[in-house]
Each structure stands twice: as structure tokens, then as C-alpha cells.
Amino acid sequence: MLYHSFKKSIFLFVALAGISVSAQQDLKLQYKQPAVEWTEALPIGNGTLGAMVFGRVDAELIQLNEATLWSGGPVQKNVNPDAFKNLALIREALQNEDFEKANVLTKNMQGPYSESFMPLGDLILKQEFGGQKAESYNRSLDLQTGLAVTSFTVNGVNYKREIFASAPAQCIVIKLSADQLKKLSVTIDAASLLKNQKAVQNQTLVLKGKAPSHSDPNYIDYNKEPVIYEDATGCRGMRFELIIKSVVKDGQVSTEGNKLVIKNATEILLFVSAATSFNGFDKCPDNQGKDEHKFAESPIKKASVKKYADLLKEHTADFQKLFNRVSLQLNEKEANKSNLPTDVRLEQYAKGEKDGGLEALFFQFGRYLLISSSRTHNAPANLQGIWNNKLRAPWSSNYTTNINLQMNYWPVESGSLSELFFPLDDFIKNASVTGAETAKSYYHANGWVLHHNSDIWAMTNPVGDFGKGDPMWANWFMGANWLSRHLWEHYEYTGDINYLKKVYPIIKGAAEFSLEWLQKDKNGYLVTMPSTSPENIFYYDGKKQGTVTTASTMDIGIIKDLFENTVEASKVLQVDSEFRQKVNQAADQLLPFQIGSKGQLQEWYKDFEEEDPHHRHTSHLYALHPANLISPLYTPDLAAAAKKTLELRGDDGTGWSLAWKVNMWARLLDGNHAYQLFKNQLRLTKDNDPKYKRQGGCYPNLFDAHPPFQIDGNFAGTAGVIEMLMQSQNKEIHLLPALPDSWKDGEIKGITAKGNFTVDIKWNDGKMSQAKIVSNIGGRCSVRAVQPFVIEKLNIKSEKSSIGYTAVFETKKGTSYNIVPLK
């Protein structure tokens, strides 16, 4: 089943998860007009099915997606047989600092582009009102229940549409109602951008189709047919099926062509289900595919015989079990603006008005989106989560692994949604299989490798269409290493040693590849060559432009981080002592981080000037965040260099770039600067509106604006708020490490620290007033805070440290520990 059975044993607090958090500031998105643009519609999802609800009166549009509906099929082996012969030539060119030649040769090591996430279709509900205009219009999305509601009055009749995506029922449920009998007359239709056939039978509309065998990325324009359906191999292009079943109270149901026509009903329930023939990353979706009809029909049969109230209750309980774990209050003494439309609040916020409730809403929206988009095996949240309305989505709506896929999962552990990690866990395991083949065929190396782009088929080769792509983004070699950090962190947060045993070979495999990938430079340091700093360009010999070089700082940071995590994992498991020694020796020989002429952390192995000093990627600060190789606590000089780098990069950028900087400034313990970047994330932008310039920020529905929409900024923004209020990367729980002055009063409950501790923090007038730590598995706990404190009951008082005050104590499983400041 796609619906995941959560491992309740991971967190002891799950039993309390359903407790109401009604004390939270109101968590609704609401508007006084229907959506015109897609980025104004409201997203719902159960992790498999996604929908964008427009809330239109006469012709409601509900745009649909299914998480596994992608173009293409399993990846082929040895896609570029001539790739390896270029590697030695590239390294020779780099040793001679012939960057131009290295760039040309690196193009010879590219392969095909990834496949694309496809739109499923549209559900259209045309409702007859005899030309009368709607009044008292309102549409809303309740983040605490996942229920989207559209209500309005026409000719004295109050109409309501309720819609939610149920994970337990594995379908979308829609209820249309009116406060007078037999006032609902609706025509139901469906459409898809993909090749399809429609049929209507037994009050049910069925749309069947087939995904393309290949779809070019949206930025490729040199092929006459960018979307191809023909498949000579018989192994590309999955089948899909969409089913919409109506259950009608009163009224008459008929058909009009391939449409359902309902007249004079009192209540209408619609059940929407969909499935594909996707059966795994290595299975042909045709002859080895699943029976999509069976998997689409089964949920409909079960759900349609249940009462709406029971379905809603079941869905709400399931959703709140996850959502209600965390609550956030900010500046409750401010005027409550929760009764205002969300777009109005955003406009007022852009003018400088305070709105702590809006900031808390944006924080929780990230958690809401992760719950709604990350519950399907083998299909982690992509660049747009599970919401896409385009045949050729921006950047294929794929898995971009030089920051964006990883960013999607930054809040999964600290935001107390650890169970939702499993789709990414699946993907990493799949990519380690295809990546082992790529490592062999491309580099004649052991272990596994992953480059800049991937897809549901776990493609791992460098993209670029065999030399047409720019190496500055196509040829990046660190995806496996970065994703391995997520495996290690899942263990750090949960303490699940059985899980670590299962994934250790994958972490080790990434380290094995890196050991063979590293080369010795003329000074005896281990370096990467070729190397790029994602999507950035440097100047050399005056104003010559280069992209391929030796030992980008990001490469060194990622490999150093991987080696440390591999060593720690082997120690925990008490295995591989000889391999551990080998990794330690290599780590000691890595090129050190270097500080440049401007006091910044160098981005490349030489102090090159960047073509774009304000570039959106801050890849060379990987060591600061998400890793913890640089910190004010342990490496103050490097932390100062990282700070200078951020100052030089500036406070502008795309939506996701702003979010990354929020996290980085928080790691530098500068809450005010982190908050300034967070505020920039909430800059309102709109599609097709000349009054709003295209800038990084958010859309009226709070979707992150690159622009266009990328969901990673939403997730990273949520993680950034947690980083401001609590950090645990240094084997300690740091309370309020980067609290901004603007958040004078507040309280956060239910977040998770490494070591599997649940943390609550309350503060007043900018200072901690109390905190609580629940130890879910026992073990030692180290706490740091700005002000002196005492661990109640244990009567352990903090001691002065170089940064704030610290205390260390042993904990018992299931025990709460209250922390109060000393007066």
C-alpha cells in the first residue's frame, strides 16, 4: 500500500500527537476572491494525490497530480561508453590550469537529461446559477486539518464546497452542499494534457492515459518534438488512470458525452482516485507495471460506501497526528490579523507592518506541505512537491541534487516529521544501485555516485545531452555524498541503530567512491578534479571565464563531512576499523579551507573572482550549513570568513536562496540577520501582474517564489525558523541560539533535537523564561543557552562557556526535564 504505516516506536510523543493545539495562532489561508493564477490556488495532498483548488464559482477548477506519474522508464546502463577516456585528459588540463580545455573535455562526459514529473489532469465542476452573481465569497485552507473550503451565496442560497486529500482512504473527497434542498446542478468533467481516453459509466468518470516515453526539460528548445510518446523499447511511458465517482443525494444523474450531469441535488459527494503502473525504479512500467486500474478503483470502492463525516474524522485524526506535534506562537501581544485575507496580510507585511501570526503561518505551511507531499514510496517531494500543472514543468520538476532535493527534507527531523523521511530514504537506496553502475561505467570506480539531476527512475549520470549542457551545472559529482548526510542524520535524530545498520553500506559506498575520486595535488593535498561550484563562474587570466577547476570548497566540505559521518557510523556499529583508518587518513590530507583576500571563505582552490558576486548559490558554505564543520563555537576564524562571504553575497536572491541564508545566518548566531532574510522570503510576488516585479519571495498562496514556484524555499524557511530557536548539530541542544529582536515574546513546542529529544521553549522580552526537554530514548544531554540556567529536580546549574552557559546531564527514557533561568 502507498499509505505508509508509521513507526510509532520512533517517537514516544506520538501518543500525544492528537492533542489539540488550538492555542496556536489561527492557521488558515483565506481569500475573498477565487484564484486566477495557479500560484493563488490552494494545495491539498495525501502524499500520493495532490490537488490545487481554485475556488471558482461557476467553473471550479481542481488541478490534479499523482506522485509517481513521470515520463520515461528505467535508466540504461553505460549510457556514455566514451566518458572515461576523457577523465585523465581533464585532470592533465587542470594540472596545467588550462580551464578552457578542461571545460570542453568535461562536456564529453555528459549523458541524457532526466525525465519529468507529469500533470495528471483537471477536474472541472460547472455549476448552474442562472447568471446570478455570487456574494459573501470566501475560500480557505485550514493547515491543522488539511480541509479546503469554498463558500458563497447566490440568490439567497448558501453554497459550500469542502475538499480534502485523505491518506487513510487514499483518495480525494469533495462535498458539495447547499442550505436549501435540491439546489445543486453540476456538470462534472475531466481533462488531461497527456494522451488519454475518457468514459462515463455508473455515475463514474474514468480517464485513462499514458505518460510520454520522454520529455525534454523546459529550457531545451532545439528538438522539434520535445515530448515523445513513441517507445521502441517497450519499457518507457507508464500507464495511468483517474477515477471520479459521484454519490448524489436527491437529484438526477445523467451523461452528456463523457461528462457527468447532476441536476437538482441536495448534496453531492465526489471521490477522486488515481494510480499509475509505476512498479519501481528498475521495472518497465508497461510489461512489468502494476495494475493501475486495480490500485485506482480499490480506494474508491472502499471510500464511497462510508459516511462523509467518518471519512473526514479519519483523515483529520491521521493528519493531526503529524501536524499537531509542533506549535509556534510569536508576539501574541500584537494585533491579531488572522481574520484578514492572506494576500492582504502579505501586502501589509511588505509595507513594514508587523504580523507574527503570518510568520508562524508560513512556518507551519512548510510542515503542512511536507505532510501533504512526502508519503509515497520511491517518490520523495520533488522541486514542486507533488503539485505541477505543466507538461514541461520548470526544470522538469525533478530531483535537483546540488541543493534542492536535500533542502526539501531539512525540516523533516527537527520539525518532528521523521516518518515522512521514508520516500527520500527509498530514493537514496535506489540511486545507490544505479549510482554504482555509473561509478563503474563513467569513472571505473567503486562505490556510487550521483550528479546534478535525477528522477523517479533514480538516474545518476551527468546530464547535458552528451555535450550540449554547461558543466557548471551538468557536471557536479557530489550528490551521493550529500544525500548520505540525510541517512546519517536520520540516525542521529532517532537513535535507531537497526536503521543505521541497513544504510551504513550506502554511506560507506559514497565514501569508497570519494576515496578513489580524490587526487593528490602538487602540494600533497587530496583534491577533487574535475570540480565545479554549482552554477557559478570564476574569472581567471583577466576576464576569462571558467567553471571546471580543481577542489571547489563545496567539494572539500562535502567530502570532509561525509568522511566524518562515515567514521562515526562505523564506530557506532563497531565495524570496519581498517576502512575507518583509511578514511581518517584521507580526511587529514584534504585541502584545508582557505580564507581569501576579502576575508571571505574562498569558493575555489584559488582566490578567483566570481562572475556574479551575488550569486544565488552559496555552495562553499556547505561546511557551515547543513554540515557543522564551521561554527562560531569551534572554528571562530572560519565562521568569521563565512560571515564575510554572506555579507558579500548580499541579502537578496531567489526564494530558496533566501531560505538557505536564513539557516546560515542562524548558524552564525545572528538572529537579526537571519530574520531579515526570513522577512524577504515573505515578499509578495504575483504571476502576470506588472505591479509585482519577479523577485524571490512568496506567492499569494504562500508558495515559495524562485520565481517560478519551487517548494524547497518553503521547507528551508521552516527549517530556518527552527534553527533560529533551537540547534543541535554540535552534539548539544542550543536553546534560542539566534533569537531575533523582533520576536520579543513567543513559544515553540514539540520540535526535535538530535539524540531524539523533544524540545519546548518559551521566551519573554527576548529571554528564555522556561524550557522542557523530553528524552525519548535516554542518553546524555548537553544544553547551551544565552543566560545561566538550572535543570530542575536534578538541581544541575549551568557553567559559563565561551558562548553562553552549558550543562550536561544523563537522562532516562520517557522523562521530562524542566530548564529555568537563574535569576
Side-chain angles (χ1 to χ4, degrees), residues 48 54 91 113 190 207 252 267 330 453 471 473 511 545-546 552 600 706 756:
T48 301
F54 281 68
R91 287 172 172 165
Y113 283 110
L207 186 149
Q252 303 83 43
E267 180 182 280
L330 294 173
N453 278 152
W473 44 264
Q545 292 186 351
S552 72
Q600 88 286 9
H706 179 285
N756 205 342

Side-chain angles (χ1 to χ4, degrees), residues 376-390:
T376 299
H377 280 291
N378 302 298
N382 60 52
L383 271 176
Q384 295 183 225
I386 54 170
W387 298 279
N388 164 46
N389 65 332
K390 297 183 184 299

Side-chain angles (χ1 to χ4, degrees), residues 19-28 141-147 315-316 319-320 323-324 364 368:
I19 295 176
S20 173
V21 285
S22 57
Q24 291 197 65
Q25 287 153 316
D26 192 49
L27 296 177
K28 277 188 179 180
L141 173 64
D142 189 335
L143 301 188
Q144 289 183 256
T145 62
L147 180 67
H315 156 75
T316 303
F319 192 89
Q320 291 188 341
F323 188 87
N324 283 4
Q364 288 286 29
Y368 168 87

Side-chain angles (χ1 to χ4, degrees), residues 25-29 31 143 328 330 334-338 340-350 353-365 678-679 682-684 698-700 702 743:
Q25 287 153 316
D26 192 49
L27 296 177
K28 277 188 179 180
L29 281 67
Y31 307 85
L143 301 188
L328 175 65
L330 294 173
E334 289 178 359
N336 188 340
K337 298 185 177 183
S338 61
L340 293 177
T342 305
D343 49 347
V344 173
R345 295 175 76 177
L346 286 168
E347 289 171 351
Q348 292 180 352
Y349 190 83
E353 295 190 24
K354 295 182 179 180
D355 194 342
L358 179 65
E359 293 167 344
L361 182 71
F362 185 79
F363 164 79
Q364 288 286 29
F365 187 56
F678 180 72
K679 283 183 66 178
L682 284 164
R683 294 184 303 204
L684 178 61
C698 73
Y699 291 105
L702 297 188
W743 290 346

Side-chain angles (χ1 to χ4, degrees), residues 396-412:
S396 303
S397 197
N398 66 10
Y399 301 131
T400 305
T401 52
N402 66 6
I403 174 65
N404 312 95
L405 174 61
Q406 294 90 335
M407 185 178 273
N408 282 2
Y409 285 85
W410 284 353
V412 75

